[in-house]
Amino acid sequence: MLTLLAFAMVATFMTLIMTGRVSALVALILTPVAFGLLAGHGADLGPMMLEGVKALAPTGVMLAFAILFFGLMTDAGLFDPLVRLIVRVVHGDPMRIVVGSAVLALLVSMDGDGSTTYLICCTAMIPLYRRMGLNPLILACLLMLACGVTNITPWGGPTARAASALHLDAGAVFVPMIPAMLAGAAFILLAAYGLGRGERRRLAALSSDGTVRDPGDADLTEDLVRTNDLTERPKLILANLALTLALLAGLVLGVLPLPALFMIATAIALVLNYPSLAAQKARIAAHAPNILPVISLIFAAGIFTGILNGTGMTDAMAGSVTGLIPPALGPYMAPVIALLAMPFTFFISNDAFYFGILPILSEAATPYGIAPVEMARASLTGQAVHLLSPLVPSTYLLVGLVRVELAQHQRFTLAWAVALSLVLLGAGILTGAIPLAG
C-alpha cells in the first residue's frame, strides 16, 4: 500500500508541475501533505516537514547569500571585462555564443559545485542572451549538461557517495571514467553547435533581410555594461577580484561551511563597495526579487523530501524496484543500474539511491563477476537526469537566474540529459570502465 502511495505521489506531483496546473512551490508543499495524510501519518507530518526543512536550511542560506554576493559583484562591474572579452570572441554570432556557453560551463563546472557554475556562467552569459534574443532555455540546458559530466569528479558529491556506500577509493571509481567524461564533453559541444545553428536560423528568419542583426562589438558591449553605471566600482575591480578568488579558493579547500563562506564574503563585499547604510539597503533590496523565489522553493522541497523519507515511501520505492529485477538480468547488472539511476535519482535523493539501492544491487551483481567498483561507475552515468529533479536545490537557482519555469526547463532539457547519460554509459562500456555483462 505504501509503495503504491509513494509512486502515486510522485506521479501526481510531476503531472501537476509538468502540465502547469499549479506552481512548483504549491505542488512541493500540498502534494506530500495530502499523500502523507492518506498514509495515516497526520500526527507525524509536522516533525517530518521540519526535519526536511532543517536538512535543506544550510543550502537555502548558502544560495541566498551566493545570489546576493554575485549580484553585488555584477553591480560593481567585476564581470564587465569578461563580457567585453566574450563579445569580442563571438562577434554577435548566435552559434558562437551558444558554443562559448558550453565551453565556459565545462571549464567552470570542474569545481564540482553546480550552484557556483550556474552563478558565474549566468552572470557572464545571460545579458548577452537577452541582448541577442537567444532562447535562455538553451543556456540552462547546457549548464546542467556540463554539470552532469563534471559531477563524476572525485570532489563531486555522487562519486563520493558511491565510493563511501561500497567502501571504495574514489580515485579508483573516477580515473577509468575520464574517457567517458571526455566523450560526454564532446557530446555537449556537438549539442551546443546544433542548438546554436538552430538559433542562428531562427533569428535570421525573424529579420527582414534574412540575416542575424549584429549590433557591432562596441555597441553591444556598451549595451551590456551600461546598466551598471550608477553602481559600478571600477577602482575596486582588483579588490573585488581578489575577494572572489579568495571565496572560490575557500570553497574548494573547504575552509568553512559554504553558507558561512558566502555570508562572510557578502558582508565584506557590501562594506567594500557600498559603505553607506542607505546604499547597502538599496543593493539588498534590488536583489531580493531574485533571492526569494529560489529559497522559498528550496524550503518547499524540504517539506517534500521530509515527508517522502519520514513516511518510509523512499524505502518502499527502492525495495519494490530492486525486487522486480529478474534473475536473467543478473549478468547485465551494470547497465541495469545505469538505466535505473536516471529515473531513481530524479525521483529520490542521491543519498537514498547511493546508500539504499546501490549496495543492494552491487551485492546481487557479485556472483556474476561484476565488481563493486564497476557498479559504482555505472551508477554515475545518470547524473545529467538527476540534476533535472525538482528535489535538487541548485535547479531552482538555475531556473531563477535564467528566468524560466522549472517545467519549461525540464521539457526542453530532458531528452538531451537522457542522451548524455546514454553517451556516458556507451563510452564507459567501450572503454572497459563499465562491463556490458558479467
Side-chain angles (χ1 to χ4, degrees):
M1 179 63 180
L2 187 60
T3 302
L4 291 176
L5 280 176
F7 282 109
M9 183 179 85
V10 171
T12 301
F13 168 72
M14 292 306 301
T15 301
L16 288 173
I17 64 170
M18 292 295 282
T19 58
R21 297 290 180 86
V22 297
S23 67
L25 178 69
V26 172
L28 283 167
I29 297 172
L30 295 187
T31 305
V33 169
F35 279 89
L37 291 172
L38 289 175
H41 288 275
D44 306 326
L45 287 184
M48 291 178 191
M49 294 162 72
L50 285 179
E51 282 300 313
V53 171
K54 288 178 184 176
L56 289 183
T59 301
V61 173
M62 185 271 289
L63 291 180
F65 281 91
I67 294 171
L68 182 55
F69 175 81
F70 283 101
L72 291 171
M73 291 298 101
T74 302
D75 293 341
L78 174 63
F79 299 104
D80 287 355
L82 178 59
V83 169
R84 294 187 178 96
L85 175 63
I86 292 172
V87 169
R88 285 200 301 270
V89 171
V90 302
H91 293 299
D93 180 6
M95 190 270 288
R96 291 189 185 185
I97 294 173
V98 173
V99 172
S101 303
V103 173
L104 182 64
L106 286 167
L107 293 174
V108 176
S109 64
M110 286 302 295
D111 70 347
D113 182 66
S115 299
T116 304
T117 301
Y118 300 154
L119 285 162
I120 293 174
C121 293
C122 286
T123 299
M125 300 304 299
I126 272 293
L128 199 54
Y129 270 66
R130 290 185 184 138
R131 180 64 180 80
M132 294 296 298
L134 296 171
N135 185 356
L137 288 168
I138 292 176
L139 179 60
C141 172
L142 294 175
L143 294 184
M144 187 162 281
L145 293 180
C147 290
V149 170
T150 55
N151 260 6
I152 299 176
T153 55
W155 48 91
T159 299
R161 287 181 177 90
S164 299
L166 299 180
H167 308 289
L168 303 168
D169 177 66
V173 177
F174 164 69
V175 173
M177 287 296 291
I178 292 177
M181 292 175 65
L182 293 175
F187 171 80
I188 292 171
L189 294 177
L190 285 174
Y193 177 76
L195 290 168
R197 283 178 61 88
E199 283 297 274
R200 181 195 282 168
R201 289 193 298 268
R202 182 181 68 84
L203 293 176
L206 293 175
S207 67
S208 58
D209 58 357
T211 60
V212 178
R213 187 174 64 86
D214 182 0
D217 289 359
D219 293 338
L220 185 55
T221 301
E222 182 184 357
D223 240 16
L224 293 172
V225 303
R226 70 183 177 189
T227 55
N228 296 333
D229 282 350
L230 298 178
T231 59
E232 281 186 348
R233 299 293 183 265
K235 294 181 180 179
L236 296 174
I237 192 167
L238 291 179
N240 283 320
L241 178 61
L243 176 61
T244 303
L245 293 177
L247 171 62
L248 295 177
L251 295 176
V252 173
L253 297 175
V255 176
L256 289 173
L258 297 187
L261 283 171
F262 273 107
M263 292 174 76
I264 293 170
T266 300
I268 295 174
L270 279 169
V271 173
L272 176 65
N273 293 282
Y274 310 103
S276 75
L277 179 60
Q280 291 176 10
K281 287 182 177 180
R283 288 299 88 215
I284 294 172
H287 294 287
N290 296 327
I291 296 170
L292 182 58
V294 173
I295 59 174
S296 61
L297 283 168
I298 287 171
F299 290 135
I303 290 177
F304 189 97
T305 56
I307 293 177
L308 192 68
N309 295 330
T311 56
M313 290 183 183
T314 298
D315 294 334
M317 287 193 294
S320 67
V321 171
T322 54
L324 290 174
I325 298 176
L329 291 179
Y332 308 99
M333 199 62 79
V336 165
I337 198 169
L339 296 176
L340 285 177
M342 286 187 269
F344 253 78
T345 58
F346 183 90
F347 291 119
I348 64 176
S349 67
N350 266 345
D351 288 335
F353 178 76
Y354 286 107
F355 293 109
I357 296 177
L358 177 59
I360 296 172
L361 294 184
S362 178
E363 187 70 24
T366 301
Y368 299 97
I370 303 172
V373 70
E374 294 170 329
M375 290 291 285
R377 293 176 197 139
S379 71
L380 297 173
T381 59
Q383 281 304 297
V385 178
H386 162 72
L387 290 173
L388 275 173
S389 170
L391 304 181
V392 177
S394 62
T395 301
Y396 298 110
L397 173 64
L398 176 59
V399 297
L401 289 170
V402 299
R403 298 181 187 176
V404 298
E405 294 296 327
L406 175 62
Q408 290 178 301
H409 172 52
Q410 289 175 326
R411 286 193 294 267
F412 185 90
T413 307
L414 180 58
W416 292 105
V418 171
L420 174 59
S421 296
L422 294 177
V423 167
L424 290 171
L425 173 59
I429 292 173
L430 289 175
T431 58
I434 301 171
L436 177 61

